[in-house]
């Protein structure tokens, strides 16, 4: 079982609530904006610039964007989130309450009165954090031993889970257990049918998936399932859903395969041949680095950043062979495996992989990306165990506020170097462009947002040309904050540290206005967003 949810669509004020979203369990976003997120700035100083001796700045880069038509349009909930199911056993769902009482299975959700976060004593919060730390050690032991404990979801847990999602205005997608098998290795759907009937009796609006990383079933559970059989299992699940009125048109996603190596591609091929038309989107997972051997400079390697592009093409080739145009989701994305690496996976440096992933996926037509995860055990999450936002949280929040679903083509001059024979040029300056999020009322429709990654150890100068020439620009430059440099778990926006105003209020994300016609100066080893105002781009005027 896995839980995921979509990031809030737009948050124009510092403490506004998330809108409807899409992906697995909607647990996380309520946490995102409503849980206590205390943070102290402390004694931190900006990251000093480390310039390599003899490294000179290159020629001025000219940048233009095609504004007539988008090259892609991705899902409104493109950036989504995941939460590990172990969160249920740790009691975090009990922090949701309605009208002074913790939500329980025998309490009907009162949408007129709504829900709010319980104000639990500090001692209870400390106990929860201790339990979370203990569970983290248990999960790490499971990962290294390939021995996993079972998770049993009770009716009460499902009630709390769904109430949590519904109360937060989020959509729930639930992954059923695919490992219950009959003697002939077909899926045993008896417990799933009981869950479906119970959910239907409660009128729960849920979408569905079956299993997780089926390519690893033999290694992790001693029983392999090939693609053809998995396809038959999905058809069986569809047949269970159709007679249930509330789920007759429910969305179904899968098969959630792992990294597309040869055997995994064979599994996907078998699945698509049998059940490609059964699913609403094809899903797979990606991990960049082995978390046990990662180093900070790994996050800056362009060769590593580009590994995702090849995987996308492999998945698309199989999907388009059987169901041309079928939506594809990157359902589980982590920077580092094995739970991540402390002070690296949760640091500013990891943001380069994350932001480049968002740009590359949208450019290549992937409809949704689901980030692992908002909060769980390990170091790949967006908030720490005290619910303090980590660098990728702020990066994701800015992305959701500023970036819309329409992808625009970028044209540059002065960036590419002529490759030597046998050498591939991998850009250390990466520029992506979208229509500005139309939910963001600070910008009129027709505005364009660029996001730029500079992996060079020297600053880069970009001159806006063509349709972007002489336009006002709002800069949102993210840099590490503190003496840890790239390993910092704190960030600054345009030179100001980002910290929570109080336990329930996000800081105002203030842009730095740049005068019309000014050259954009991108500091070394940084990333940022640049809203080009009032472009009146035809591609961005309408939804």
């Amino acid at each position: 079982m896995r839980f995921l949810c979509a990031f809030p669509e737009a948050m124009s004020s510092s403490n506004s609530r998330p809108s409807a979203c899409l992906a697995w369990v909607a647990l996380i976003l309520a946490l995102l904006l409503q849980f206590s997120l205390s943070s102290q700035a402390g004694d931190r100083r900006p990251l000093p610039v480390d310039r390599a001796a003899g490294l000179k700045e290159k020629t001025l880069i000219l940048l233009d964007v095609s504004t007539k038509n988008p090259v892609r349009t991705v899902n409104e909930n493109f950036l989504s989130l995941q939460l590990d199911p172990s969160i249920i056993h740790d009691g975090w769902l009990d922090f949701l309450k309605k009208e002074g009482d913790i939500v329980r299975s025998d309490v009907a959700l009162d949408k007129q009165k709504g829900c709010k976060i319980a104000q639990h004593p500090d001692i209870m919060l400390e106990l929860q954090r201790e339990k979370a730390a203990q569970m983290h050690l248990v999960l790490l032991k499971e990962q290294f031993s390939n021995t996993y404990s079972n998770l049993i979801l009770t009716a009460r847990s499902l009630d709390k889970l769904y109430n949590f999602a519904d109360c937060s205005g989020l959509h729930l997608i639930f992954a059923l257990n695919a490992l219950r098998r009959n003697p002939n290795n077909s899926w045993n759907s008896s417990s799933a049918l009981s869950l479906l009937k119970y959910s239907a009796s409660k009128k729960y609006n849920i979408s569905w998936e079956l299993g997780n990383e089926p390519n690893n079933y033999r290694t992790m559970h001693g029983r392999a399932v090939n693609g053809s059989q998995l396809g038959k299992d999905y058809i069986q699940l569809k047949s269970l859903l159709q007679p249930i009125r509330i789920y007759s048109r429910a969305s179904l996603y899968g098969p959630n395969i792992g990294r597309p190596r040869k055997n995994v591609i064979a599994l996907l091929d078998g699945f698509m041949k049998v059940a490609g038309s059964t699913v609403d989107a094809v899903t797979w997972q990606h991990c960049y680095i082995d978390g046990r051997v990662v180093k900070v400079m790994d996050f800056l390697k362009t060769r590593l950043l580009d590994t995702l592009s090849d995987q996308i093409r492999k998945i698309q080739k199989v999907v388009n062979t059987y169901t041309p145009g079928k939506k594809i989701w990157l359902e589980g994305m982590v920077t580092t495996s094995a739970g991540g690496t402390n002070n690296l996976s949760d640091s500013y440096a990891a943001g380069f992989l994350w932001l480049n992933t968002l740009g590359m996926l949208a450019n290549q037509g992937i409809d949704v990306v689901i980030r692992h995860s908002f909060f769980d055990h390990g170091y790949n999450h967006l908030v720490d165990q005290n619910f303090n936002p980590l660098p990728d949280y702020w990066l994701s929040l800015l992305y959701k506020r500023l970036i819309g679903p329409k992808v625009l083509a970028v044209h540059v001059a002065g960036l590419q170097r002529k490759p030597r024979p046998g050498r591939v040029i991998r850009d250390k300056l990466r520029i992506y462009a979208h229509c500005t999020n139309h939910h963001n009322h600070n910008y009129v429709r027709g505005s364009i947002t660029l996001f730029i990654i500079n992996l060079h150890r020297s600053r880069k100068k970009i001159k806006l040309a063509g349709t972007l020439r002489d336009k006002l620009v709002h800069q949102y430059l993210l840099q590490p904050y503190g003496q840890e440099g790239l390993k910092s778990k704190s960030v600054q926006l345009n030179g100001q540290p980002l910290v929570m105003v109080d336990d329930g209020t996000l800081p105002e994300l203030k842009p730095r206005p740049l005068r019309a016609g000014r050259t954009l100066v991108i500091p070394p080893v940084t990333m940022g967003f640049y809203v080009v105002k009032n472009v009146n781009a035809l591609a961005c005027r309408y939804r």
Side-chain angles (χ1 to χ4, degrees):
M1 182 196 319
R2 303 174 66 209
F3 303 111
L4 312 127
C5 79
F7 225 86
E9 236 341 275
M11 294 159 281
S12 58
S13 63
S14 61
N15 57 358
S16 56
R17 297 172 65 94
S19 66
C21 60
L22 174 65
W24 288 84
V25 140
L27 290 164
I28 336 170
L29 277 227
L31 294 169
L32 184 67
L33 293 182
Q34 300 172 43
F35 261 135
S36 299
L37 302 174
S38 60
S39 177
Q40 299 296 327
D43 182 19
R44 302 177 181 133
R45 290 174 238 170
L47 174 74
V49 174
D50 178 21
R51 299 201 178 198
L55 202 58
K56 298 180 180 179
E57 295 175 12
K58 304 296 181 183
T59 307
L60 183 71
I61 297 162
L62 298 179
L63 169 65
D64 191 13
V65 172
S66 296
T67 59
K68 187 175 181 180
N69 295 300
V71 294
R72 299 275 190 276
T73 300
V74 297
N75 198 294
E76 286 279 347
N77 299 307
F78 173 73
L79 197 172
S80 298
L81 298 171
Q82 171 183 335
L83 190 63
D84 193 276
S86 61
I87 205 76
I88 294 174
H89 282 194
D90 290 345
W92 291 109
L93 291 180
D94 287 333
F95 282 78
L96 182 70
K97 72 171 185 177
K98 85 180 216 8
E99 295 305 305
D101 297 318
I102 295 176
V103 174
R104 301 192 185 280
S105 59
D106 57 346
V107 177
L109 186 65
D110 187 340
K111 293 185 179 180
Q112 296 299 317
K113 295 182 179 179
C115 299
K116 56 186 178 181
I117 299 302
Q119 301 298 319
H120 290 281
D122 290 342
I123 185 64
M124 188 172 181
L125 289 171
E126 290 302 321
L127 290 173
Q128 291 289 352
R129 290 163 185 155
E130 288 179 13
K131 188 174 182 180
Q134 293 169 2
M135 183 58 71
H136 170 58
L137 297 177
V138 171
L139 293 180
L140 286 179
K141 184 178 179 180
E142 289 181 345
Q143 288 173 349
F144 285 106
S145 65
N146 273 337
T147 303
Y148 296 86
S149 58
N150 292 325
L151 174 65
I152 299 175
L153 183 73
T154 64
R156 179 179 174 184
S157 295
L158 180 60
D159 291 335
K160 288 195 293 184
L161 186 60
Y162 187 82
N163 285 348
F164 187 102
D166 196 45
C167 188
S168 305
L170 307 174
H171 182 68
L172 168 64
I173 301 178
F174 193 96
L176 296 164
N177 186 357
L179 292 171
R180 291 176 60 88
R181 316 301 295 182
N182 295 314
N184 65 354
N185 209 30
S186 63
W187 178 48
N188 186 328
S189 61
S190 57
S191 62
L193 183 58
S194 298
L195 189 149
L196 291 173
K197 289 180 177 178
Y198 177 79
S199 300
S201 71
K202 306 284 283 189
K203 294 182 170 56
Y204 288 163
N205 178 23
I206 301 176
S207 298
W208 304 92
E209 189 174 49
L210 181 60
N212 173 43
E213 289 194 86
N215 47 289
N216 285 334
Y217 286 176
R218 180 186 294 277
T219 302
M220 298 174 63
H221 305 283
R223 199 166 198 178
V225 177
N226 62 34
S228 176
Q229 180 59 58
L230 188 63
K232 294 175 184 177
D233 298 339
Y234 265 77
I235 292 174
Q236 182 182 353
L237 173 55
K238 190 74 172 181
S239 69
L240 295 180
L241 293 171
Q242 286 177 336
I244 303 174
R245 184 175 180 181
I246 192 174
Y247 298 135
S248 61
R249 297 185 179 181
S251 295
L252 181 61
Y253 304 102
N256 197 22
I257 58 172
R259 187 167 182 167
R261 297 183 174 92
K262 186 176 181 180
N263 65 314
V264 180
I265 288 295
L267 188 151
L268 178 61
D269 187 89
F271 174 84
M272 294 300 298
K273 187 181 299 183
V274 173
S277 61
T278 303
V279 293
D280 294 274
V282 176
T283 59
W284 103 101
Q285 301 185 31
H286 177 67
C287 176
Y288 280 100
I289 315 173
D290 186 336
R292 291 166 288 191
V293 296
V294 65
K295 300 176 182 178
V296 66
M297 296 309 295
D298 290 339
F299 295 104
L300 310 183
K301 292 179 178 178
T302 55
R303 185 179 299 274
L304 180 66
L305 268 63
D306 291 339
T307 57
L308 178 60
S309 183
D310 182 55
Q311 292 196 26
I312 294 171
R313 287 191 291 268
K314 289 179 180 179
I315 298 293
Q316 288 174 330
K317 181 179 179 180
V318 177
V319 172
N320 290 329
T321 297
Y322 297 100
T323 54
K326 174 76 68 175
K327 300 295 186 183
I328 301 175
W329 290 10
L330 177 56
E331 188 181 278
M333 183 273 161
V334 295
T335 54
T336 51
S337 64
T341 305
N342 190 23
N343 296 322
L344 288 177
S345 308
D346 49 3
S347 71
Y348 177 86
F352 295 114
L353 279 177
W354 178 223
L355 187 57
N356 187 71
T357 296
L358 295 171
M360 186 175 288
L361 289 171
N363 259 1
Q364 293 189 231
I366 301 304
D367 196 47
V368 170
V369 54
I370 297 171
R371 168 62 188 263
H372 181 95
S373 71
F374 178 76
F375 177 85
D376 65 9
H377 311 291
Y379 305 102
N380 282 310
H381 38 69
L382 299 182
V383 299
D384 64 20
Q385 291 184 353
N386 295 315
F387 291 107
N388 295 318
L390 292 166
D392 276 5
Y393 173 96
W394 298 114
L395 187 63
S396 301
L397 183 59
L398 278 169
Y399 186 96
K400 289 298 292 187
R401 288 194 178 182
L402 299 175
I403 303 297
K406 292 183 179 180
V407 186
L408 305 175
V410 173
H411 306 284
V412 295
L415 177 61
Q416 293 282 2
R417 305 185 303 277
K418 186 177 180 180
R420 295 196 294 265
R423 181 181 178 186
V424 177
I425 296 298
R426 300 183 185 274
D427 294 329
K428 288 190 173 184
L429 184 68
R430 301 188 173 218
I431 305 171
Y432 300 97
H434 285 238
C435 295
T436 302
N437 192 335
H438 58 260
H439 293 290
N440 192 324
H441 302 302
N442 293 323
Y443 301 106
V444 299
R445 291 191 179 183
S447 298
I448 289 173
T449 301
L450 310 168
F451 54 103
I452 302 174
I453 302 169
N454 182 15
L455 298 174
H456 289 278
R457 296 181 65 187
S458 60
R459 66 179 184 171
K460 293 297 169 183
K461 295 182 178 181
I462 299 175
K463 187 72 174 177
L464 301 183
T467 54
L468 309 185
R469 182 187 294 114
D470 297 329
K471 301 296 183 184
L472 293 172
V473 175
H474 276 183
Q475 172 185 278
Y476 297 83
L477 178 64
L478 284 173
Q479 294 174 284
Y481 185 66
Q483 298 179 353
E484 299 87 355
L486 293 177
K487 291 185 177 182
S488 177
K489 297 182 183 180
S490 300
V491 295
Q492 52 183 325
L493 176 65
N494 296 323
Q496 296 298 316
L498 288 177
V499 293
M500 296 296 294
V501 175
D502 54 43
D503 283 352
T505 308
L506 292 165
E508 182 180 359
L509 303 180
K510 294 181 180 179
R512 179 188 176 193
L514 304 179
R515 61 175 172 79
R518 178 172 174 176
T519 298
L520 307 182
V521 180
I522 318 299
V525 199
T526 58
M527 51 196 144
F529 299 84
Y530 298 83
V531 180
V532 188
K533 301 180 63 179
N534 305 318
V535 178
N536 199 28
L538 180 63
C540 305
R541 288 186 208 163
Y542 310 102
R543 296 183 64 173

